[in-house]
């Protein structure tokens, strides 16, 4: 059984643009469908002028005295306005702020892990808020948190710029990092290091294994050749009593 949808109590969105008979002022300033200004006309005359051309009379500047109306196809006008709004949103850049929290006594492994997260966010062109959390009497040594923030900013100097210097607020010290101009321009690659070095090392490892293999084989051959030499004197000792 389908779940019934909840009743939406919000009123439906209504188009507030005054068109045709919704224009109640006595006179308006009319602009023709070709963009040329026709002049001030009675509202009834302006409406007949638009209807004779199978167009609409649309109020475009209600604050003017008298209000300004254009003769145009209102459906086409609404479509063009919607396309302009969509194009404007497409060119807008959304700013995303991430947050990474550190402790003043953070271990090196945890520091490297969190630093990797910060680097990944910056490569995605996001801003990163770095927070040092102090607990108990740790707040009496804010220089430890500042050292961590300064170290992080120095190590990520190619990817980040400091938008907000370290600031102590209560028990938290914060710093804001933003992507550098090189990241925003796309000159710094967003991926990780290519595996070319690992592939380059593979032949060297193969050569070293191949080089050690003949050495072991040669050692085995030497051992087999030396074995009969050691057994020869023993055989001579056995033959001596038989000759006597």
């Amino acid at each position: 059984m389908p779940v019934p949808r909840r009743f939406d109590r919000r009123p439906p969105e209504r188009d507030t643009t005054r068109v045709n008979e919704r224009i109640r002022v006595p006179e308006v300033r009319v602009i023709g469908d070709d963009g040329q200004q026709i002049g001030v006309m009675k509202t009834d005359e302006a409406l007949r002028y638009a209807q004779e051309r199978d167009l609409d009379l649309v109020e475009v500047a209600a604050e003017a005295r008298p209000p300004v109306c254009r003769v145009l196809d209102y459906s086409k006008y609404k479509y063009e306005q919607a396309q302009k709004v969509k194009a404007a949103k497409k060119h807008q850049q959304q700013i995303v702020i991430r947050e990474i929290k550190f402790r003043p006594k953070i271990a090196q492994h945890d520091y490297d892990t969190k630093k990797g997260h910060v680097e990944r966010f910056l490569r995605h062109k996001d801003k990163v808020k770095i927070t040092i959390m102090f607990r108990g009497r740790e707040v009496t040594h804010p220089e430890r948190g500042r050292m961590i923030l300064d170290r992080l900013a120095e190590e990520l100097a190619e990817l980040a710029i400091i938008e907000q210097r370290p600031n102590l607020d209560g028990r938290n010290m914060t710093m804001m990092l933003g992507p550098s101009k090189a990241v925003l321009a796309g000159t710094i690659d967003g991926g990780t290091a290519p595996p070319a070095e690992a592939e380059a090392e593979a032949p060297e490892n193969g050569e070293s294994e191949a080089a050690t293999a003949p050495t072991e084989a040669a050692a085995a051959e030497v051992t087999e050749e030396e074995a009969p030499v050691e057994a020869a004197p023993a055989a001579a000792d056995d033959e001596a009593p038989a000759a006597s």
Side-chain angles (χ1 to χ4, degrees):
M1 182 177 179
V3 179
R5 298 179 60 182
R6 297 183 60 182
F7 178 71
D8 191 359
R9 297 181 180 274
R10 293 176 299 178
E13 295 183 0
R14 183 179 178 182
D15 188 3
T16 57
T17 304
R18 287 193 281 258
V19 184
N20 297 331
E21 289 80 4
R22 293 176 60 185
I23 302 175
R24 302 299 180 87
V25 293
E27 59 182 14
V28 294
R29 186 179 301 275
V30 182
I31 299 176
D33 54 340
D34 55 355
Q36 298 295 326
Q37 185 173 163
I38 299 175
V40 179
M41 302 174 60
K42 297 293 184 180
T43 305
D44 296 338
E45 296 177 3
L47 185 58
R48 282 196 299 270
Y49 177 85
Q51 291 174 348
E52 289 173 359
R53 290 159 178 77
D54 293 331
L55 296 173
D56 301 307
L57 186 66
V58 182
E59 187 180 60
V60 294
E63 296 82 7
R65 291 292 178 267
V68 180
C69 297
R70 290 190 61 180
V71 178
L72 47 81
D73 186 350
Y74 185 57
S75 299
K76 183 179 179 181
Y77 173 76
K78 287 182 63 178
Y79 174 77
E80 291 176 352
Q81 292 299 112
Q83 292 299 314
K84 289 180 181 179
V85 172
K86 186 181 296 185
K89 289 183 178 180
K90 185 180 298 184
H91 292 291
Q92 289 179 352
Q93 184 178 3
Q94 295 183 352
I95 299 176
V96 180
I97 299 178
R98 309 280 188 169
E99 183 177 9
I100 297 293
K101 297 182 179 179
F102 288 74
R103 292 295 311 282
K105 297 181 180 180
I106 187 171
Q108 181 62 37
H109 177 73
D110 295 338
Y111 173 84
D112 294 337
T113 302
K114 292 179 180 290
K115 174 188 169 184
H117 294 328
V118 175
E119 182 176 352
R120 176 165 53 89
F121 294 150
L122 290 172
R123 289 184 182 274
H124 289 170
K125 302 179 181 180
D126 296 337
K127 293 185 179 182
V128 185
K129 179 181 178 182
I130 313 298
T131 302
I132 305 293
M133 299 185 301
F134 297 96
R135 293 181 181 175
R137 297 182 60 83
E138 291 177 348
V139 74
T140 60
H141 299 282
E143 66 277 2
R144 295 182 179 178
R146 190 178 299 274
M147 288 174 57
I148 295 176
L149 296 178
D150 292 342
R151 174 188 173 188
L152 185 65
E154 182 180 356
E155 293 178 354
L156 299 176
E158 295 183 358
L159 301 176
I161 58 174
I162 301 177
E163 296 189 354
Q164 178 184 339
R165 305 297 300 180
N167 180 33
L168 184 61
D169 183 13
R171 292 186 175 273
N172 294 332
M173 179 178 289
T174 59
M175 179 179 69
M176 183 70 71
L177 296 179
S180 63
K181 294 182 179 179
V183 174
L184 295 175
T187 57
I188 295 182
D189 195 5
T192 56
E197 297 179 358
E199 295 177 358
E201 293 177 356
E204 295 179 3
N205 295 336
E207 291 176 3
S208 61
E209 294 177 357
T212 55
T215 305
E216 296 176 356
E221 292 177 1
V222 172
T223 305
E224 292 176 359
E225 292 177 355
E226 291 177 355
V229 175
E230 294 178 355
D237 294 341
D238 295 340
E239 292 177 355
S244 61

